[in-house]
Amino acid sequence: MSHILHRAANAVMPVAVAGRGIELFDRDGKSYIDASGGAAVSCLGHGHPDVIAALHKQLDTIAYAHTGFFTTEVAERLADRLVEDAPDGLDHVYLVSGGSEAVEAALKMARQYVVEKGEPKRRHIIARKQSYHGNTLGALATGGNEWRRAQFRPLLIETHHIDACYAYRLREDGESDADYAARSARQLEDKILELGADEVIAFVAETVVGATAGAVPPVGDYFKRIREICDRYGVLLILDEVMCGMGRTGTLHACEQDGVAPDLMTIAKGLGGGYQPVGAVLVSAQIFEAFSKGSGFFQHGHTYMGHPMAAAAGLAVQDIIRRDGLLDNVVAMGECLNRRLVERFGNHHHVGDIRGRGLFRGIELVRDRSTKEPFDPKLKLHALIKREAMGRGLMVYPMGGTIDGVQGDHVLLAPPFIVDETQIATIVERLGDAIDAALEGLPGNLTR
Ligand code: PLP
């Protein structure tokens, strides 16, 4: 019996004992291809010798020094590196221990910024439906995933949500990408005007939606329009790239492909690749200046922020990605993965959409391709797919509630940046078998 309260209280989990390259191994000797990087975390795969060496070295140097008393060389170097590669205008870094902490910090920075600027009336956060920004209360309130929020609603701060830019479901028949992008972005302007243009603090969005909808990229010039609307009304743009950032989509930051830079950006997962818990907020010069010339501090903090071991992991992972030119492999293997997915699922009766960027890909499952009707959520198709995939030695990241928090199923793929063509072929083959087995296991007449 386990004394851990696991994510599923009654789950009996396999015990992971080793990891090498793109594979994990359990205590019984079974191997699993990690085609989702856990939850889009393990960008370098497992057991990378250079990251391990960097961590040993850091442990021998200094393991911990509270940031209320000291800074450390390794944290400074990581911040230098992140700023060097940051989108325009982001020139400071706030180091934390994960994605939710990064989102919480960004929300509070945004609020403190408007207060320092003399606009304390600004109090509203706008985000998008079907987004995930973390599980702490502020981040959960910001996220737009109904099933995650439902039972905690009485504890959540008030937030406002517009639709995601989700072309497969929300673009109208005959509507062009450009028209849909314009219509979708206009929702933000309408919401700002509804709430009062001088009462909104920030708009928060995942550049490419991850866990809740399955690698949904924006279309057309959606984010350029969003940036313009934010600027027009003095609203900060917070891009949450905890999942889609740090190279996952083929550029270091996903928003590079959309030609925009946010005022605050959250990063985590791929920053440290799972070798240590680490996250960060990249902060614009303007916000930093407001703090430094205003109250002189950001009223926040955590015991483990800027942790030297976490910084060492982040720095080593980012050095290796750059040294080994891994973003080129993300682009090449991303195309290869997409091609394979289209070959395997392009004509599949129950795959409605194949989408994503780089090594961040999703497929959406439907009961009927022509009507896009989803499967009955009670069937928990996503859970069956996960079970079938694990049985075949494949880790993918399936989720339900794709459409509205209740309906819809998708599978998210986010393999390590070191993946090769042969491994991709195996991943897609195992995934195809797992999906077909899950569908065959559904009661009677639900599949064709
Ligand atoms: N933001 C996004 C976009 C995420 O995908 C996640 C986690 O999946 C988070 C925030 C929360 O990160 P963490 O689980 O590290 O707290």
Side-chain angles (χ1 to χ4, degrees):
M1 179 198 143
S2 171
H3 288 100
I4 296 178
L5 171 53
H6 289 288
R7 284 168 183 256
N10 301 316
V12 180
M13 309 299 291
V15 180
V17 293
R20 234 182 356 259
I22 71 160
E23 281 179 300
L24 282 168
F25 301 86
D26 73 16
R27 194 164 54 185
D28 301 327
K30 182 172 167 136
S31 70
Y32 304 80
I33 296 182
D34 186 0
S36 57
V41 172
S42 302
C43 56
L44 285 187
H46 302 276
H48 198 297
D50 298 344
V51 186
I52 293 169
L55 287 172
H56 280 297
K57 196 163 162 226
Q58 187 59 45
L59 200 50
D60 287 339
T61 309
I62 173 98
Y64 178 65
H66 192 283
T67 46
F69 300 87
F70 295 102
T71 185
T72 54
E73 281 171 8
V74 68
E76 295 290 342
R77 277 172 52 214
L78 175 61
D80 291 347
R81 158 57 73 83
L82 292 175
V83 166
E84 200 180 303
D85 291 339
D88 279 354
L90 301 181
D91 76 352
H92 277 76
V93 178
Y94 191 78
L95 291 169
V96 292
S97 305
S100 301
E101 276 190 15
V103 170
E104 295 290 336
L107 294 172
K108 287 176 74 177
M109 277 181 204
R111 168 63 190 167
Q112 186 175 326
Y113 171 70
V114 297
V115 173
E116 302 258 1
K117 259 197 355 171
E119 298 178 6
K121 247 178 87 181
R122 289 191 185 267
R123 63 199 174 93
H124 295 300
I125 298 290
I126 305 173
R128 301 191 300 179
K129 294 176 193 163
Q130 285 314 93
S131 59
Y132 180 59
H133 298 295
N135 263 332
T136 50
L137 290 174
L140 186 65
T142 304
N145 186 252
E146 276 315 311
W147 77 263
R148 288 182 200 261
R149 294 162 49 98
Q151 71 168 327
F152 300 108
R153 191 165 294 121
L155 305 182
L156 301 181
I157 55 166
E158 185 194 19
T159 49
H160 307 272
H161 294 91
I162 61 170
D163 285 332
C165 184
Y166 182 7
Y168 175 63
R169 291 275 166 196
L170 301 179
R171 184 173 48 196
E172 283 166 7
D173 286 345
E175 191 175 32
S176 69
D177 271 357
D179 287 348
Y180 172 57
R183 182 168 64 84
S184 190
R186 209 158 39 236
Q187 284 195 14
L188 176 60
E189 183 157 26
D190 293 346
K191 184 56 83 178
I192 291 172
L193 293 174
E194 178 194 319
L195 295 170
D198 55 352
E199 295 198 20
V200 178
I201 300 173
F203 175 60
V204 187
E206 292 169 83
T207 314
V208 179
V209 183
T212 46
V216 179
V219 294
D221 60 354
Y222 174 79
F223 270 112
K224 282 210 173 107
R225 287 176 178 274
I226 290 287
R227 179 73 268 185
E228 279 164 20
I229 293 166
C230 286
D231 289 345
R232 195 171 314 140
Y233 298 103
V235 170
L236 295 173
L237 175 60
I238 303 178
L239 288 182
D240 182 353
E241 296 211 356
V242 164
M243 192 177 252
C244 65
M246 301 319 287
R248 176 59 49 205
T249 64
T251 46
L252 191 64
H253 304 295
C255 63
E256 290 171 41
Q257 293 173 50
D258 299 284
V260 295
D263 301 292
L264 293 162
M265 174 186 276
T266 52
I267 55 175
K269 299 176 184 278
L271 171 58
Y275 287 89
Q276 289 288 301
V278 60
V281 186
L282 306 186
V283 185
S284 73
Q286 184 191 337
I287 294 175
F288 175 77
E289 206 170 291
F291 293 178
S292 75
K293 293 196 174 142
S295 63
F297 67 99
F298 170 42
Q299 192 183 330
H300 192 60
H302 294 286
T303 300
Y304 296 123
M305 60 184 289
H307 197 287
M309 295 303 294
L315 191 59
V317 168
Q318 296 312 309
D319 276 347
I320 292 162
I321 290 173
R322 192 193 268 190
R323 181 194 74 192
D324 297 350
L326 288 178
L327 294 190
D328 293 342
N329 200 51
V330 174
V331 173
M333 291 305 106
E335 280 161 16
C336 171
L337 177 57
N338 188 48
R339 205 168 48 244
R340 289 273 179 185
L341 290 171
V342 170
E343 274 164 28
R344 179 65 177 83
F345 299 111
N347 292 315
H348 195 289
H349 284 314
H350 298 293
V351 173
D353 195 26
I354 302 170
R355 56 194 176 223
R357 286 182 184 170
L359 284 175
F360 198 43
R361 301 279 166 181
I363 61 178
E364 184 167 334
L365 295 137
V366 286
R367 181 174 163 160
D368 184 327
R369 266 165 76 111
S370 55
T371 62
K372 303 184 184 176
E373 180 196 347
F375 283 95
D376 182 345
K378 287 196 210 76
L379 298 171
K380 291 200 181 305
L381 177 60
H382 56 98
L384 297 176
I385 293 172
K386 182 172 177 185
R387 198 176 66 205
E388 292 290 347
M390 283 293 275
R392 288 167 172 75
L394 180 71
M395 290 164 61
V396 290
Y397 200 53
M399 196 73 80
T402 314
I403 304 167
D404 55 8
V406 179
Q407 307 224 54
D409 299 89
H410 67 264
V411 180
L412 184 67
L413 294 159
F417 300 176
I418 53 169
V419 72
D420 65 30
E421 284 192 33
T422 314
Q423 292 165 333
I424 283 178
T426 310
I427 289 168
V428 175
E429 190 189 317
R430 288 188 194 176
L431 177 61
D433 291 348
I435 289 178
D436 286 345
L439 289 165
E440 274 156 31
L442 294 178
N445 59 1
L446 290 170
T447 63
R448 294 166 200 228

